[in-house]
Amino acid sequence: MRITNVNIFDGRQVRAERSVDLADGSISALAATGAQSDTFDGEDGWLIPGLIDCHVHMELDPADKTPPAPDAPRDLDAMAERAGGMVRAGITTARDLGGGAWAEIELRDRIAAGTVIGPRLLCAGQPITSVGGHCHFWGGEATTVEEGEAVFARQLEHGADLLKIMATGGRFTPDSKPSKAQFPLAFIQAMVAAADAAGVHTAAHCHGSEGIDFAARAGITTIEHCSWVGDSGKWASDFRPDVVAEMARRGTWVSPTINAGWQRFLDSGSDMVKTLRGCFDAMRAAGVRLVASTDAGIPGVWHKDLPKAVGVFARIAGLTNAEAITSATADAASAIGLGGTTGAIASGLSADLLLLPHNPLDDLAALTEPAAVWARGERVL
């Protein structure tokens, strides 16, 4: 198949080519390379890589304001509906960073088998957390290194793609404090070593600055949230340049989980946004790279809304439109270990593509108006 008459942003730059050939679910060539019986006229639209949300929770219903009960049944039909909405919105890959019954792994496998329409998923399974700690209801409690290794081994047995650890408390769990580290540095180092031995990457939930410090020094792949919360409990109140330097030295990625709902902070002129912007400016100046993520599934954060969130993320983090798209495509793929699979329009990569009628480099709102979407070569919109 050939997609013709398009402007191409390949994930990092605008290309001179005006067409893309697809074969067997992959991109076979940029620019025409012989006759094609099956063509799609892009009508001078903009073709970009499919979007990637680096932090979602497929089992969570955004309409539910309370954490799920440990023994609550998981609704795979509802999860499949969320997945379909995501991919039709142009989200062709997502990373699920926590569930309690491995239902998201079953969903992942159904999508891969073609029996459910949805984005390619990477899944962490049950995150490792402290006893009574953040998201303990998902079943990943541990105190000792040996217990943590056992939790991780259980996830691998169920087919998990990566290790997730709750390095600090969080707001979604009663009696959990975002500012407080849940594990010492040595524990996180041991978990990273276990993940390295298994050949998988790592993600750490980090609000408090101490937890961010421990995660960075332990070699965590992606730091989620990175809120710089201090003892006062306020976001961005305890920024640590020394920790940022360590993150930059190690090549740590930051996944800030800024969702579309953060528009309210922009509208109100919140001081928190101004302070956070200073943190992002300093991190980027030091060489720390940011990727798009939403924490979809938590109350009020809808799974299909990454296209709306990218524009909000750009404004809060000080990104250009091109940088924001890269954060949700090429950089996101690299951060989650899929840089050789997706995230760019390049020969040999998966045909995960989003066609837009308007130029997103001029206005990121164009991301919310897809004209067509291909996921692994199949047109889903």
Side-chain angles (χ1 to χ4, degrees):
M1 176 188 173
R2 177 171 295 152
I3 303 171
T4 65
N5 190 23
V6 288
N7 305 283
I8 299 172
F9 181 79
D10 68 3
R12 298 196 183 279
Q13 62 184 346
V14 177
R15 300 291 296 254
E17 295 90 346
R18 295 276 297 171
S19 66
V20 174
D21 285 357
L22 313 183
D24 300 323
S26 298
I27 298 167
S28 56
L30 274 68
T33 57
Q36 282 279 358
S37 59
D38 184 11
T39 62
F40 180 94
D41 186 353
E43 299 181 349
D44 202 37
W46 282 79
L47 194 68
I48 70 170
L51 302 179
I52 300 172
D53 193 332
C54 292
H55 190 136
V56 305
H57 300 282
M58 296 304 300
E59 79 161 36
L60 295 181
D61 180 352
D64 191 344
K65 296 183 179 180
T66 59
D71 58 351
R74 270 60 181 184
D75 189 340
L76 269 166
D77 289 339
M79 293 169 67
E81 184 175 351
R82 291 171 200 140
M86 290 170 71
V87 78
R88 286 188 290 271
I91 306 165
T92 56
T93 299
R95 187 174 58 159
D96 189 296
L97 289 185
W102 306 289
E104 67 283 353
I105 293 178
E106 183 174 348
L107 176 67
R108 176 201 68 189
D109 294 345
R110 291 186 184 186
I111 292 170
T115 59
V116 169
I117 296 173
R120 171 191 297 102
L121 292 176
L122 295 180
C123 301
Q126 299 169 327
I128 299 170
T129 191
S130 59
V131 174
H134 185 47
C135 295
H136 64 88
F137 44 79
W138 274 332
E141 292 175 308
T143 300
T144 66
V145 167
E146 291 73 21
E147 289 172 350
E149 290 172 339
V151 172
F152 178 48
R154 186 165 70 243
Q155 308 322 304
L156 293 178
E157 289 169 3
H158 282 85
D161 300 295
L162 70 145
L163 178 146
K164 167 78 177 295
I165 186 168
M166 300 301 195
T168 73
R171 292 187 295 186
F172 194 44
T173 306
D175 301 321
S176 176
K177 293 185 178 181
S179 62
K180 300 301 181 184
Q182 295 197 149
F183 296 106
L185 172 60
F187 183 98
I188 301 177
Q189 289 172 324
M191 295 305 100
V192 170
D196 288 346
V200 302
H201 72 276
T202 56
H205 163 103
C206 297
H207 284 308
S209 297
E210 183 180 44
I212 296 171
D213 179 25
F214 291 168
R217 287 198 277 156
I220 286 286
T221 311
T222 69
I223 290 180
E224 307 302 306
H225 315 300
C226 199
S227 310
W228 301 109
V229 178
D231 290 338
S232 68
K234 293 182 179 179
W235 259 231
S237 63
D238 189 26
F239 184 71
R240 297 270 303 276
D242 60 318
V243 177
V244 171
E246 179 68 5
M247 292 160 65
R249 186 182 73 81
R250 287 181 172 270
T252 310
W253 295 89
V254 169
S255 165
T257 61
I258 292 175
N259 61 68
W262 284 50
Q263 180 65 45
R264 67 188 184 277
F265 299 126
L266 290 169
D267 293 341
S268 68
S270 168
D271 288 339
M272 182 194 75
V273 168
K274 297 174 185 176
T275 306
L276 266 178
R277 174 65 180 276
C279 295
F280 287 129
D281 286 347
M283 284 191 284
R284 294 177 63 227
V288 175
R289 295 166 294 177
L290 312 177
V291 292
S293 53
T294 65
D295 213 353
I298 65 171
V301 182
W302 307 96
H303 293 80
K304 64 181 182 179
D305 278 357
L306 175 64
K308 295 179 182 178
V310 172
V312 178
F313 178 37
R315 291 182 62 191
I316 291 176
L319 305 175
T320 66
N321 290 356
E323 288 170 340
I325 296 170
T326 298
S327 79
T329 56
D331 277 356
S334 294
I336 65 175
L338 292 179
T341 301
T342 189
I345 300 178
S347 180
L349 295 189
S350 180
D352 301 326
L353 303 166
L354 174 57
L355 179 65
L356 306 168
H358 307 295
N359 185 354
L361 301 176
D362 290 338
D363 185 355
L364 289 171
L367 297 175
T368 67
E369 301 173 351
V373 179
W374 290 263
R376 298 168 297 285
E378 295 293 325
R379 189 179 174 194
V380 296
L381 178 72

